[in-house]
Amino acid sequence: MEPGTARIAVDLLGGDDAPAVVVDGALRAVRTDPDLHLLLVGPAEVADELIAALDPAQRARITVRPVRDAVGMADHPNAARAESTVRAAVTAVRDGAADALVSAGATGATVTAAVLGLGRWPEIRQPALVATLPGVAGPVVLLDVGGSLEPRPATLARHAVLGAAYAAVAHSIAEPRVGLLSVGTEAGKGDRVRRATDPLLAVEPLPAAARYVGLVEGYDVAFGARADVVVTDGFTGNVLLKAIEGAYAMAGGPPVAGGAPRAAALLGVAGTVVVCHGSARAADVASGIALAAHLWRRHATDLVSALLDGDAATHRTDRSTDTEVRTS
């Protein structure tokens, strides 16, 4: 386990089965990681239930921010503009009370709250959710998995840059190979967006000495032999991710290289944000908290941003708040 204190804000009311599974997941996380500090954002009585189950030393690593309102899973993403647990968690990160946040609530609300509260990186109009799958040949970074459902070719090209930088920083992948998901590997395959994106990526400068390898297919995500980073739209990426998870379940479990991801990092905002599945179980919430701590300890947000900017000292954020973020 990586050393270093990590303060993670946890949305206690996010998810289909919150708060019970979130409380259980938070318990597992704080018991596993002795350097983990949690800021529990939610009703005080729910937080008290979690705190009561810990020993005195563990309790010292827990703080509470009482908030009673939550954004429902079926609510419009703009509901995140109102006071809620996810908005309060974002505010905690923005104000320095937490280093990162984790929510299993509605993806659209979490992304919207993060964009409005933390601001976007320059040149990023649509942030991307990135998941890492345990490919047979090594980890495969897949994005987008639910942030931008109908992106333009320029957005997909920008997400390729994000994915390459993330693979290098979060997973120490040297010279990442980047592929564009399509229905065949031959040039000209795919829908109009893929046909337009392919030539853009062929000339797009990629960070971390990454290189574009062309079109890839679905099985390349599972095998990982052709690409370390696979770029697609959020609709296709989300469907593919859940299909692979279902295949793992049918086969009795994921490859020995690691489990199916139940949490995704949000790239393109000025803060460390992790989104868990709405149907997350306790182990998934614990995994999401561990991912947030890992990214913070690696300074992933700053390092990925620096790779995009070319110089960490020039890092800036766009704090515009008038654009609706369309997500799943």
Side-chain angles (χ1 to χ4, degrees), residues 18 28 50 59 67 75 83 96 118 133 142 159 166 168 184 206 226 257 267 274 288 295 298 316:
R28 298 186 189 194
L50 189 155
R59 291 175 192 171
V67 180
D75 287 346
E83 185 59 32
L118 302 174
L133 289 92
L142 176 66
H159 286 178
Y166 182 83
L206 297 174
R226 291 196 61 226
L267 297 183
V274 169
L295 295 176
R298 283 212 168 189
R316 303 174 306 280

Side-chain angles (χ1 to χ4, degrees), residues 196-271:
T197 304
D198 186 34
L200 287 180
L201 283 176
V203 297
E204 179 76 23
L206 297 174
R211 60 187 177 89
Y212 178 56
V213 298
L215 302 178
V216 297
E217 297 185 84
Y219 57 76
D220 292 311
V221 178
F223 284 99
R226 291 196 61 226
D228 306 298
V229 178
V230 174
V231 180
T232 190
D233 62 275
F235 181 90
T236 303
N238 190 273
V239 171
L240 176 61
L241 177 64
K242 291 174 180 175
I244 290 176
E245 290 171 352
Y248 288 159
M250 291 178 62
V256 293
R262 298 291 289 177
L266 181 63
L267 297 183
V269 297

Side-chain angles (χ1 to χ4, degrees), residues 110-127:
T110 303
V111 174
T112 299
V115 168
L116 297 179
L118 302 174
R120 288 169 295 206
W121 292 341
E123 309 296 326
I124 302 297
R125 296 299 301 170
Q126 293 182 294

Side-chain angles (χ1 to χ4, degrees), residues 104-169:
T107 299
T110 303
V111 174
T112 299
V115 168
L116 297 179
L118 302 174
R120 288 169 295 206
W121 292 341
E123 309 296 326
I124 302 297
R125 296 299 301 170
Q126 293 182 294
L129 282 169
V130 54
T132 304
L133 289 92
V136 174
V140 176
V141 170
L142 176 66
L143 76 164
D144 189 7
V145 296
S148 302
L149 300 189
E150 297 179 347
R152 295 176 298 175
T155 299
L156 287 177
R158 197 59 183 164
H159 286 178
V161 174
L162 288 174
Y166 182 83
V169 169

Side-chain angles (χ1 to χ4, degrees), residues 5 11 17 42 85 91 151 179 181 242 278 285 300:
T5 299
D11 175 5
D17 298 310
T85 51
T91 300
L181 187 65
K242 291 174 180 175
V285 173

